[in-house]
Amino acid sequence: MSNNAQIASKLNQIAALLQEQNVAFKPAAYRKAATVIEELPNDISTYGDEKELKKLPGIGEAIAKKIIEFLETGEMEFLVLLQKEQGGISADLMDIEGLGPKRVRQLQNELGITSVAQLVNAAKQGKLRDLELWDEILEKKVIENAGKVEERIKRFPREEVKDDVDLLLETLQKVQKVQRCEVAGSYRREKETVGDIDILLVTTAPEEVSDAISELSIVRDIAVKGDKKISFDLHNGLRVDVRLVKADQWGAALMYFTGSKDHNIAVRKVAIKKGWKLNEYGLFDGEEVVASKEEKDIYEVLGLRFFEPKERVGGL
């Protein structure tokens, strides 16, 4: 599922939960923002920072911050708090299209269903169709939509996908005008399992390279295609996000997309104490770039030792 679809889903969940609390106006604002994001021609991550996001119709400061939070962490804390306030409502079930808080709460209370796997099993046994608010058509639709969520949240053992990642890197490095290429994310941190694969590459011809990648035989089901990012699946369903960056931003981008979230936050706090700003584009003192070309440069300027990717699991 693309960033646009995931963010739109979470904004719609926020709208539904706020409506359950009888909050005025805000549910409509979140639904409008969700629709805008769903209809964007490119992935939301290509639209820049908070300032640029606020230029989109229906996206104010509060929603822009939540979008940035999701892109950085994969979560929206406001949504998590709403779910807790409403009795620990299942986040996984709320992620399924067609299930609002009333139906999710009903599933939890009446059938004890709290996971996608439990829901699919119950639906296949025909246990949902006779519930109030349900029918056979909705039951079948839920099986279909739940399958999409299951595929998105599936994690793969690292060793199981190692050959695929090696082949992917080897193939991308042979694409004309790709100057540099490396895997990032949890795979680079050597986590035992991965949910997707993040790849960074440097090129001076992003549109041409994006087009070339889309034609590769290993690419299946392109979800996003632009001059900053192309997302697709491999033969086994493993999602790959390839980000195209400038050579002078390589170090900052590699650090940012390698993570972990906690490690990035800890490093960013060191930068803030110096009055600087650190993001995926570089380490800045005002508008001046302090460091960005290599990861080691950023750590060094901040007075930190270099952390190997597998060490980036928490604070400093």
Side-chain angles (χ1 to χ4, degrees), residues 102-114 127-128 130-134:
K102 287 184 179 179
R103 286 195 176 97
V104 171
R105 195 175 290 111
Q106 178 189 34
L107 291 170
Q108 291 184 192
N109 293 340
E110 296 187 25
L111 298 179
I113 293 173
T114 58
K127 293 182 178 180
L128 308 182
D130 294 328
L131 294 174
E132 186 180 357
L133 306 177
W134 290 79

Side-chain angles (χ1 to χ4, degrees), residues 2 17 25 28 34 37 46 96 99 103 126 133 137 152 187-188 192 196 200 214 245 252 277 294 297 303-304:
S2 70
L17 291 169
F25 307 116
I37 292 169
T46 67
I96 298 173
L99 289 188
R103 286 195 176 97
L133 306 177
I137 294 175
R152 179 168 60 79
Y187 187 90
R188 185 173 183 236
E192 291 185 2
D196 53 26
L200 258 64
S214 69
V245 303
K277 178 178 71 173
E294 300 291 343
D297 298 336
L304 300 171

Side-chain angles (χ1 to χ4, degrees), residues 17-274:
L17 291 169
L18 288 175
Q19 189 163 327
E20 282 282 293
Q21 295 178 344
N22 295 314
V23 175
F25 307 116
K26 286 186 178 181
Y30 278 100
R31 288 194 182 95
K32 179 180 178 181
T35 300
V36 168
I37 292 169
E38 280 182 315
E39 295 176 351
L40 288 175
N42 299 312
D43 189 84
I44 189 73
S45 65
T46 67
Y47 284 76
D49 56 16
E50 181 182 326
K51 181 179 178 181
E52 293 301 313
L53 288 173
K54 286 163 63 177
K55 293 179 182 179
L56 296 171
I59 309 296
E61 181 177 355
I63 292 177
K65 286 183 182 298
K66 290 178 177 65
I67 293 170
I68 295 295
E69 180 191 4
F70 177 84
L71 292 174
E72 291 182 348
T73 70
E75 195 51 83
M76 291 183 186
E77 185 62 25
F78 183 64
L79 175 57
V80 174
L81 291 174
L82 282 177
Q83 290 164 341
K84 289 180 180 177
E85 287 175 6
Q86 298 207 23
I89 197 165
S90 171
D92 287 346
L93 296 185
M94 282 286 289
D95 221 9
I96 298 173
E97 183 182 351
L99 289 188
K102 287 184 179 179
R103 286 195 176 97
V104 171
R105 195 175 290 111
Q106 178 189 34
L107 291 170
Q108 291 184 192
N109 293 340
E110 296 187 25
L111 298 179
I113 293 173
T114 58
S115 71
V116 177
Q118 289 174 332
L119 177 63
V120 171
N121 186 51
K124 287 180 176 179
Q125 294 181 47
K127 293 182 178 180
L128 308 182
R129 65 187 66 177
D130 294 328
L131 294 174
E132 186 180 357
L133 306 177
W134 290 79
D135 57 29
E136 189 172 349
I137 294 175
L138 178 58
E139 185 179 63
K140 289 181 178 178
K141 191 67 176 176
V142 162
I143 293 175
E144 178 183 335
N145 293 337
K148 296 176 183 177
V149 174
E150 280 191 312
E151 183 171 305
R152 179 168 60 79
I153 64 177
K154 179 183 177 181
R155 295 190 67 82
F156 296 78
R158 187 176 191 277
E159 288 303 312
E160 183 180 301
V161 299
K162 186 178 184 303
D163 289 343
D164 290 307
V165 174
D166 289 345
L167 175 61
L168 177 63
L169 287 172
E170 182 182 338
T171 304
L172 291 175
Q173 287 164 350
K174 291 179 180 177
V175 173
Q176 285 192 351
K177 298 187 180 179
V178 169
Q179 301 167 349
R180 195 171 184 178
C181 184
E182 188 167 341
V183 67
S186 57
Y187 187 90
R188 185 173 183 236
R189 299 200 314 273
E190 299 184 22
K191 294 280 288 183
E192 291 185 2
T193 63
V194 296
D196 53 26
I197 298 296
D198 292 294
I199 301 285
L200 258 64
L201 64 80
V202 171
T203 179
T204 56
E207 291 186 12
E208 188 177 331
V209 168
S210 182
D211 289 342
I213 292 173
S214 69
E215 297 298 324
L216 294 173
S217 60
I218 60 174
V219 171
R220 190 195 82 182
D221 297 335
I222 296 174
V224 176
K225 181 178 175 294
D227 61 0
K228 292 185 179 180
K229 177 181 177 181
I230 178 168
S231 296
F232 54 86
D233 292 339
L234 297 181
H235 64 93
N236 55 4
L238 179 63
R239 171 57 54 90
V240 177
D241 293 327
V242 178
R243 291 177 169 85
L244 298 83
V245 303
K246 297 178 180 178
D248 60 359
Q249 297 171 343
W250 172 262
L254 187 58
M255 175 184 286
Y256 181 89
F257 289 110
T258 294
S260 68
K261 176 188 73 173
D262 291 339
H263 182 78
N264 283 351
I265 289 172
V267 176
R268 199 153 56 235
K269 285 180 178 177
V270 175
I272 291 171
K273 286 181 180 178
K274 293 179 178 290

